[in-house]
Amino acid sequence: MKGDALVLFGITGDLAHKKLYGALAGLEAARALDVPVIGVASSDWDDKKLRSEVRETLGKSFTAAVVKRLCARVRYVRGNYSDPATYQALRDAVGSARHPVCYLAIPPALFDDVAEGLAGIGVPRGGRIVLEKPFGRDLASALELNALLHKHFAEDSIYRIDHFLGKEPVQNLMVFRFANTLLEPVWNRHFVQSVQVTMAESFGVEGRGSFYDSVGCLRDVVQNHLLQMVCLLAMEPPISATADALRDETVKVMKTIRPLKASELVRGQYVGYLDEPGVAPGSDTETYCALRVHVDSWRWAGVPFSIRAGKALAGTVQEAVVELRQPPRLLFADRAHTPEPNVLRFRLKPDDTITLEMQAKQPGERLVSGRVDLDVAYEAALGGEGPEAYQRLLGDALAGDQRLFARQDLVEAAWRVVDPVLEKHAPAIPYERGSWGPEEDTRVLPGQRQWRRPSAAAG
């Protein structure tokens, strides 16, 4: 059922200014926004002030006509989230809408108040609620949050938003896997030697020290973004492209991943983190983590999946590297040259590129092979970058498309993986800014292997 109103709680906040105003304008520019937009917050604003903020934030990023159309449809409701009068005012603003989509860009501590307030005006009977991560801090709090939401909303009315899944390159990874028969025969433990997933950022906490210090790398990106990326790489073909079919397969993979052990996790903290504003003295919060994941499915049993993520590293890059096994005999080698294994590299950032590293004959008299790369640059090949993640996800929420939203069982299964090491772990190891993390991170890799260096990291 298509949403007939969009309600944005936290419309005056940081996320709204950085992402939501632009997402709304993108939908407006694409003629995909045809519903009233009502912002709710406690700030002393009115309709005029909200429209002024929207215009100022968007600047010249969109045409004057688009900004004018968007401003004409936005309204503001001021009130405290725990005050029933706020929701009575919201009901008046929504008017005759029967299927409002309510987006909660607010701290999780306020979810209960808002869910109860919306229930008081009958929103759960036909509306939807859209939540920003984090969906809890551990398994216990995730279970508590889901129980709270289900007091008022059915699971099919709850949209847990994760902007990472809305990114074009992430979706391209899944399409590339299942739209091409080339990969399926080798996409298993018989041909794949290992998988490495990297999410590196060259910058630090950037003024978010207080928030980040309460979360850390493991909760911030591993429990959600990177475990979901493992699921996309390891999932079985879905029976269809529907929301439940796709999410059923990702949940199956998540449930096969063993709970982490402290011995399979290396935590790091960049030198200077303790001097960041908002960081507690002596904090042991990790800004880097490397871990080994075991996917105990029939397809992947025994194949090591290694994950690393962190801040203040040597570059900004997101990629997955799938290394295939060597041929049973290395025919085209000599004492001076050992051929490298084939590698399939999915680059998500700074560009959307898929590279297949192959072997071909080197020029000259010697019968030896050399590496050649077969590249597909998504934007150059197909044109355009696609919509920004929040624009896509807001549009999907209005359309009732849940394919890119996390389901309750996936969230809980992901927390079960990381829960054992959230508190029981070794101290964070210092590493220098501009490095690739602590040298000890190779402990999570099998044998004497090394992390594969990103082919071209951006600073």
Side-chain angles (χ1 to χ4, degrees):
M1 185 69 67
K2 190 175 184 302
D4 51 8
L6 179 60
V7 181
L8 300 175
F9 287 86
I11 192 67
T12 63
D14 192 50
L15 179 65
H17 282 82
K18 288 183 176 179
K19 296 292 184 181
L20 300 185
Y21 295 168
L24 291 171
L27 290 171
E28 189 71 67
R31 300 283 183 178
L33 188 64
D34 58 357
V35 299
V37 178
I38 300 101
V40 183
S42 59
S43 301
D44 188 14
W45 288 17
D46 56 17
D47 292 354
K48 183 178 179 181
K49 172 64 174 174
L50 174 57
R51 290 164 183 162
S52 174
E53 288 288 327
V54 169
R55 282 192 291 266
E56 184 177 341
T57 301
L58 296 178
K60 295 183 179 179
S61 301
F62 295 88
T63 66
V66 167
V67 176
K68 183 178 180 180
R69 291 203 311 270
L70 176 59
C71 287
R73 72 172 73 250
V74 300
R75 294 184 58 189
Y76 184 70
V77 171
R78 177 192 175 194
N80 189 292
Y81 298 137
S82 61
D83 185 354
T86 302
Y87 300 93
Q88 295 301 320
L90 175 60
R91 183 170 64 178
D92 294 339
V94 168
S96 61
R98 301 287 299 276
H99 308 288
V101 175
C102 301
Y103 186 111
L104 277 57
I106 56 177
L110 299 173
F111 287 173
D112 193 8
D113 289 338
V114 173
E116 188 168 334
L118 292 173
I121 59 173
V123 168
R125 287 195 292 272
R128 302 174 199 130
I129 190 168
V130 184
L131 310 174
E132 275 283 342
K133 76 174 186 73
F135 312 121
R137 285 185 49 80
D138 50 25
L139 178 57
S141 59
L143 291 168
E144 182 181 352
L145 174 60
N146 284 328
L148 179 157
L149 295 171
H150 289 146
K151 285 194 305 183
H152 306 294
F153 289 86
E155 178 61 27
D156 61 5
S157 296
I158 301 171
Y159 288 60
R160 297 173 187 83
I161 196 169
D162 186 340
H163 71 280
F164 184 75
L165 294 179
K167 293 183 176 181
E168 198 82 3
V170 177
Q171 295 173 61
N172 189 30
L173 190 159
M174 180 173 60
V175 172
F176 191 83
R177 270 205 62 195
F178 297 123
N180 299 291
T181 57
L182 176 70
L183 294 183
E184 179 58 27
V186 300
W187 210 253
N188 55 62
R189 68 186 188 279
H190 300 298
F191 293 93
V192 174
Q193 178 70 36
S194 68
V195 180
Q196 293 185 7
V197 177
T198 295
M199 186 176 190
E201 296 173 331
S202 61
F203 48 87
V205 295
E206 302 290 298
R208 298 168 68 239
S210 179
F211 164 78
Y212 196 87
D213 203 43
S214 67
V215 178
C217 179
L218 198 59
R219 287 183 171 96
D220 190 38
V221 296
V222 174
Q223 180 272 335
N224 39 65
H225 302 336
L226 298 185
L227 285 182
Q228 287 169 352
M229 195 164 172
V230 169
C231 289
L232 291 177
L233 289 164
M235 66 190 281
E236 295 296 321
I239 61 172
S240 70
T242 62
D244 276 339
L246 291 169
R247 296 190 297 176
D248 284 347
E249 296 304 330
T250 57
V251 169
K252 287 179 184 177
V253 176
M254 196 71 80
K255 288 182 176 180
T256 69
I257 299 177
R258 295 182 206 167
L260 289 174
K261 297 178 180 178
S263 60
E264 298 169 328
L265 170 68
V266 173
R267 301 166 65 250
Q269 184 185 96
Y270 65 80
V271 175
Y273 173 76
L274 295 177
D275 299 324
E276 299 278 8
V279 172
S283 170
D284 186 52
T285 297
E286 76 281 356
T287 60
Y288 176 91
C289 52
L291 54 145
R292 184 172 174 182
V293 169
H294 300 272
V295 181
D296 288 335
S297 67
W298 188 272
R299 181 187 290 261
W300 294 110
V303 177
F305 283 72
S306 305
I307 296 173
R308 61 175 173 169
K311 292 185 174 293
L313 298 177
T316 295
V317 61
Q318 295 174 14
E319 67 176 21
V321 179
V322 180
E323 179 182 318
L324 301 183
R325 297 186 185 278
Q326 289 276 33
R329 292 189 61 201
L330 300 179
L331 298 176
F332 307 110
D334 59 23
R335 293 180 180 179
H337 171 72
T338 301
E340 300 175 11
N342 296 144
V343 168
L344 186 58
R345 188 185 298 265
F346 296 92
R347 283 285 298 275
L348 282 69
K349 201 173 189 178
D351 51 11
D352 185 2
T353 304
I354 299 172
T355 301
L356 178 59
E357 299 175 9
M358 301 283 287
Q359 294 289 309
K361 182 185 178 302
Q362 291 189 18
E365 296 181 359
R366 298 163 60 215
L367 189 59
V368 295
S369 65
R371 172 179 152 182
V372 292
D373 291 354
L374 307 180
D375 292 311
V376 176
Y378 177 74
E379 184 177 356
L382 298 177
E385 297 181 348
E388 190 271 341
Y390 274 94
Q391 177 184 333
R392 179 189 300 277
L393 293 168
L394 277 180
D396 285 352
L398 283 167
D401 185 345
Q402 290 188 300
R403 282 178 292 186
L404 302 179
F405 295 85
R407 204 168 62 189
Q408 172 190 1
D409 48 359
L410 179 69
V411 172
E412 294 175 1
W415 279 119
R416 286 190 179 93
V417 173
V418 302
D419 208 56
V421 298
L422 290 177
E423 304 298 337
K424 297 179 181 179
H425 48 241
I429 302 168
Y431 64 93
E432 295 295 329
R433 293 188 72 122
S435 69
W436 284 106
E439 294 180 357
E440 292 86 342
D441 66 358
T442 55
R443 290 205 310 250
V444 306
L445 300 175
Q448 303 298 314
R449 306 181 74 82
Q450 298 291 316
W451 288 100
R452 284 188 168 270
R453 183 64 58 89
S455 55

